[in-house]
Amino acid sequence: MTDQELKEIRDDLSLITEGKWFRYNDETSWVAAWDEENECDIPVCECHELEDAMFIEKAPEYVRRLLDEVERLRKEKSNVTPYSSSNIGKSQLFL
């Protein structure tokens, strides 16, 4: 994934309905976000399958965590010295 693609995902994530997403059920399952300022819920979507609602409820946090992990791994990778088998003796290759 390119840096631009990751930026687009972060940008899109910043545009979703704000607030803690939660799920509630009536005849179908709903996912909503809590609006602290107005003390009310904002419907995000209606799902006919409970499992869909359960996943969608957690999706913003899952995406944030995945993006943070990609960023962490890229930083970690940038700090690693390139490895070359020429840097070690033949006897060390098969340890």
Side-chain angles (χ1 to χ4, degrees):
M1 217 171 221
T2 67
D3 289 342
Q4 180 58 37
E5 289 170 320
L6 292 169
K7 181 185 180 318
E8 287 172 12
I9 294 169
R10 278 206 192 270
D11 290 348
D12 288 346
L13 187 59
S14 73
L15 299 174
I16 66 172
T17 304
E18 291 183 29
K20 172 83 173 130
W21 286 22
F22 63 95
R23 177 181 40 83
Y24 63 92
N25 299 316
D26 50 23
E27 294 190 15
T28 59
S29 293
W30 287 85
V31 176
W34 181 251
D35 181 345
E36 288 286 336
E37 185 178 324
N38 297 308
E39 296 186 0
C40 66
D41 61 319
I42 302 168
V44 173
C45 70
E46 176 184 18
C47 300
H48 296 281
E49 299 295 331
L50 175 62
E51 294 80 5
D52 294 342
M54 291 171 67
F55 183 82
I56 292 168
E57 169 190 21
K58 297 174 184 175
E61 182 58 27
Y62 287 167
V63 172
R64 279 186 199 93
R65 288 170 41 198
L66 287 167
L67 288 169
D68 290 346
E69 181 67 3
V70 169
E71 185 177 315
R72 184 190 71 77
L73 290 169
R74 285 183 172 194
K75 284 180 184 175
E76 186 177 293
K77 181 181 173 188
S78 71
N79 292 329
V80 173
T81 304
Y83 172 79
S84 169
S85 61
S86 64
N87 294 339
I88 60 175
K90 286 184 180 182
S91 63
Q92 294 173 313
L93 281 175
F94 299 103
L95 293 179

